[in-house]
Amino acid sequence: MAKISNTTVYPNVIPAADDFVVLTDVNDNDRTKTAKVSDFQSYFGTSSLEVTITSAQLLTSFTQPVVLLTCGANEFITVLSVVQKYNFGTTPYVFAGGSNMLITNNGSATVQNMQYELTDIGGVAVNQTANAVGPVKSKYPLPGGANSLTFQSDVANPTGGDGTLTLSMLYRKITI
């Protein structure tokens, strides 16, 4: 039998969620078992989400924040990273001066509820993929949990515009 380090016999691959990994179960007399790669993601507590914000949702994103995720009592959602893909339609969006797009808790743009600031798409007339600006220092998680993670504009609804915005997020749902 070849050594596991022999990459000719055992070539390196980029794992997919449904691929299997061989491991030793120390809780079952060191028996050899398998697990799916996706099981490790669950074990380490990270999850991913991809959601597309429609033009109609963008145009009302201040008055009607878009719910991305929800959690129960004593659970908290912490966003780890965001990649955003803006798909330009035919007309760019116009945001109020200094306006930002945010990922927040419970649709509230007050400082203690902000989690992530997104890269500005106001006036952008081309397709664009970018890392979000980054996490906002906040007093998160909020006491009690059971918060929803929302997408919104922080000052007013944008005007014009007909493109979509796809958010790919890595997050953790923590139970306390």
Side-chain angles (χ1 to χ4, degrees):
M1 181 173 200
K3 289 185 176 186
I4 198 75
S5 60
N6 183 339
T7 56
T8 303
V9 175
Y10 303 111
N12 290 324
V13 298
I14 296 173
D18 287 337
D19 285 347
F20 289 95
V21 177
V22 177
L23 50 85
T24 301
D25 187 348
V26 297
N27 294 320
D28 191 9
N29 294 322
D30 290 340
R31 290 198 169 126
T32 302
K33 296 187 179 178
T34 61
K36 287 188 175 186
V37 169
S38 59
D39 295 331
F40 286 92
Q41 188 175 26
S42 298
Y43 176 76
F44 289 112
T46 58
S47 298
S48 58
L49 171 71
E50 184 170 287
V51 63
T52 298
I53 311 296
T54 67
S55 177
Q57 291 172 313
L58 274 162
L59 290 169
T60 60
S61 61
F62 178 72
T63 54
Q64 298 175 350
V66 179
V67 175
L68 305 173
L69 283 171
T70 59
C71 61
N74 299 317
E75 289 183 328
F76 303 91
I77 302 166
T78 301
V79 178
L80 303 174
S81 66
V82 180
V83 174
Q84 63 187 69
K85 181 179 179 185
Y86 174 56
N87 298 300
F88 175 70
T90 58
T91 307
Y93 290 96
V94 177
F95 286 82
S99 180
N100 291 313
M101 295 179 303
L102 305 170
I103 294 176
T104 64
N105 303 313
N106 293 331
S108 171
T110 59
V111 173
Q112 69 269 20
N113 290 323
M114 287 189 245
Q115 282 218 35
Y116 239 86
E117 182 179 342
L118 302 177
T119 301
D120 186 13
I121 61 168
V124 175
V126 295
N127 292 339
Q128 180 184 66
T129 300
N131 287 323
V133 173
V136 177
K137 292 183 179 181
S138 65
K139 298 175 184 175
Y140 191 77
L142 298 175
N147 299 296
S148 58
L149 191 68
T150 53
F151 164 84
Q152 70 182 103
S153 175
D154 70 343
V155 175
N157 289 328
T159 58
D162 58 358
T164 61
L165 181 67
T166 300
L167 303 174
S168 297
M169 299 186 303
L170 184 62
Y171 68 95
R172 293 185 76 188
K173 195 178 273 192
I174 302 166
T175 302
I176 297 178

